[in-house]
């Protein structure tokens, strides 16, 4: 509404259907070879002060970069929406997983707020971070409206909760709690969708797929400048969610034969069976 996407504080969540799949034949992303970009992979700028671009964010353990892949202007935009997610809802999970942090995790809170119901009384308690179950809410989105030719803001249709740290069942039993809820952590679904697009696009660039597209600028425009239209390109694959036990994150590139469309899949925290997101990259030449 008015160019803004608003987060709904309440949402329905249920235990998702998860299928465990083998990760043996998946490409080892850390072995991907990259070369120096001739220009910014987003806007095409050739300004001197270009910075390396991580495909998967550094804060999520991304160790593959495109040298001189992003100009300073585009880097400021991508840094802003990635920071909103990585230092927001994902901050504590990153700490527990031991993922990289340029601040050495010094700004991670010592406790985790949980809304629990004990003896029919609902209250917020602060639990030491190493003793708490960590609940990460993954937004789930409606299908991309790309094939219908409609520009649309990102539209949530629910959340799926990933569990990290101490087992929820053990924690609830110890407290004799009958319910437990996530305390809002400033979730920004549009920023999350932007981060998904950035990851998918950078991966497609490294794999030489962008040159196959008729008009990659449309996706870039939605990601950088018009996030209120990003629902045209981003959605969530339906259940069952695939759990790849030996993989932290999963990236894929796929081709739709009719109509001829290239799309990508992005699954952060694939090892717990988190939702897989689809990104329409564009029409093939």
């Amino acid at each position: 509404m008015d160019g803004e996407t608003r987060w709904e504080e309440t949402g329905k969540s249920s235990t998702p259907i998860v299928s465990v799949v083998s990760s043996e034949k998946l490409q080892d992303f850390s072995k991907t070879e990259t070369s120096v970009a001739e220009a910014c992979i987003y806007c095409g700028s050739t300004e001197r002060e270009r910075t390396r671009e991580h495909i998967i964010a550094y804060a999520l353990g991304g160790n593959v970069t495109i040298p001189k892949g992003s100009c300073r202007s585009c880097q400021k935009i991508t840094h802003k929406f990635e920071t909103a997610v990585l230092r927001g809802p994902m901050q504590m999970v990153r700490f527990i997983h031991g993922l990289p942090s340029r601040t050495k995790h010094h700004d991670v809170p010592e406790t985790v707020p949980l809304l629990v119901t004990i003896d029919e009384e609902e209250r917020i308690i602060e639990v030491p971070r190493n003793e708490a179950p960590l609940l990460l809410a993954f937004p789930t989105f409606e299908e991309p409206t790309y094939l219908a030719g409609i520009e649309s803001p990102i539209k949530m249709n629910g959340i799926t909760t990933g569990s990290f740290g101490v087992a929820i069942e053990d924690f609830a039993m110890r407290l004799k709690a009958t319910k437990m809820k996530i305390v809002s952590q400033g979730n920004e679904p549009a920023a999350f969708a932007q981060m998904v697009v950035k990851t998918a696009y950078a991966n497609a660039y490294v794999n030489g797929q962008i040159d196959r597209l008729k008009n990659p600028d449309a996706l870039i425009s939605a990601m950088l400048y018009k996030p209120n239209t990003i629902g045209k390109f981003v959605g969530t694959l339906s259940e069952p969610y695939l759990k790849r036990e030996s993989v932290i994150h999963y990236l894929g590139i796929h081709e739709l034969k009719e109509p001829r469309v290239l799309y990508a899949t992005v699954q952060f925290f694939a090892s717990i069976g988190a939702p897989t997101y689809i990104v329409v990259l564009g029409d093939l030449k």
Side-chain angles (χ1 to χ4, degrees), residues 234-275:
V234 183
T236 306
L237 291 182
S238 57
E239 298 180 59
Y241 301 141
L242 301 182
K243 182 178 181 180
R244 310 175 195 274
E245 292 183 326
S246 60
V247 175
I248 299 179
H249 311 300
Y250 168 79
L251 305 180
I253 301 174
H254 317 269
E255 185 175 324
L256 190 65
K257 293 185 178 180
E258 188 59 42
R260 296 189 68 242
V261 169
L262 195 68
Y263 68 95
T265 46
V266 176
Q267 186 182 24
F268 298 124
F269 299 104
S271 56
I272 68 162

Side-chain angles (χ1 to χ4, degrees), residues 1 13-14 26 43 53 87-88 101 154 178 215 221 225 240 277:
M1 183 180 294
S13 179
S14 59
L26 292 180
C43 71
E53 181 63 287
R87 292 187 183 176
S101 169
I154 197 72
T178 55
N215 182 23
S221 177
Y225 313 118
Y277 299 92

Side-chain angles (χ1 to χ4, degrees), residues 102-117:
R102 289 190 168 87
T103 64
K104 307 300 182 185
H105 295 294
H106 291 322
D107 53 350
V108 176
E110 296 287 337
T111 60
V112 177
L114 294 173
L115 183 63
V116 299
T117 301

Side-chain angles (χ1 to χ4, degrees), residues 179-190:
K179 293 181 181 180
M180 185 158 47
K181 297 180 181 179
I182 301 171
V183 177
S184 176
Q185 297 170 295
N187 294 278
E188 297 186 33

Side-chain angles (χ1 to χ4, degrees), residues 27-230:
Q27 176 186 347
D28 184 350
F29 191 72
S30 66
K31 295 180 180 179
T32 299
E33 295 184 2
T34 61
S35 56
V36 177
E38 295 181 357
C40 174
I41 68 171
Y42 304 119
C43 71
S45 170
T46 56
E47 69 175 49
R48 285 185 178 180
E49 292 189 27
R50 282 180 281 134
T51 182
R52 63 179 180 172
E53 181 63 287
H54 283 82
I55 298 170
I56 296 175
Y58 170 77
L60 288 177
N63 57 1
V64 180
T65 63
I66 305 169
K68 296 187 178 181
S70 180
C71 71
R72 293 296 180 182
S73 296
C74 290
Q75 192 270 339
K76 286 181 181 179
I77 299 174
T78 59
H79 176 75
K80 182 178 180 180
F81 61 67
E82 284 188 324
T83 298
V85 177
L86 299 171
R87 292 187 183 176
M90 287 189 179
Q91 184 183 44
M92 190 66 73
V93 171
R94 288 175 43 232
F95 169 75
I96 293 296
H97 261 281
L99 294 175
S101 169
R102 289 190 168 87
T103 64
K104 307 300 182 185
H105 295 294
H106 291 322
D107 53 350
V108 176
E110 296 287 337
T111 60
V112 177
L114 294 173
L115 183 63
V116 299
T117 301
I118 303 174
D119 296 331
E120 299 185 355
E121 179 185 351
E122 190 175 68
R123 61 179 182 268
I124 294 178
I125 61 173
E126 295 286 341
V127 183
R129 62 193 183 191
N130 292 325
E131 301 175 12
L134 302 179
L135 307 177
L136 178 57
F138 293 92
T140 56
F141 304 129
E142 294 183 4
E143 293 183 0
T145 58
Y146 184 89
L147 295 181
I150 301 172
E151 289 193 347
S152 170
I154 197 72
K155 294 181 180 179
M156 286 182 58
N157 56 18
I159 60 172
T160 295
T161 304
S163 177
F164 302 81
V166 176
I168 294 177
E169 295 81 1
D170 295 342
F171 181 82
M173 187 177 298
R174 190 167 71 248
L175 285 184
K176 297 182 180 181
T178 55
K179 293 181 181 180
M180 185 158 47
K181 297 180 181 179
I182 301 171
V183 177
S184 176
Q185 297 170 295
N187 294 278
E188 297 186 33
F192 185 88
Q194 287 173 286
M195 188 173 77
V196 169
V197 169
K198 182 252 183 183
T199 304
Y201 183 87
N203 184 45
Y205 176 88
V206 163
N207 283 280
Q209 298 296 308
I210 299 303
D211 290 339
R212 301 179 63 203
L213 300 174
K214 289 181 179 179
N215 182 23
D217 293 343
L219 177 63
I220 295 172
S221 177
M223 176 185 68
L224 296 180
Y225 313 118
K226 300 179 180 179
N228 59 315
T229 67
I230 208 166

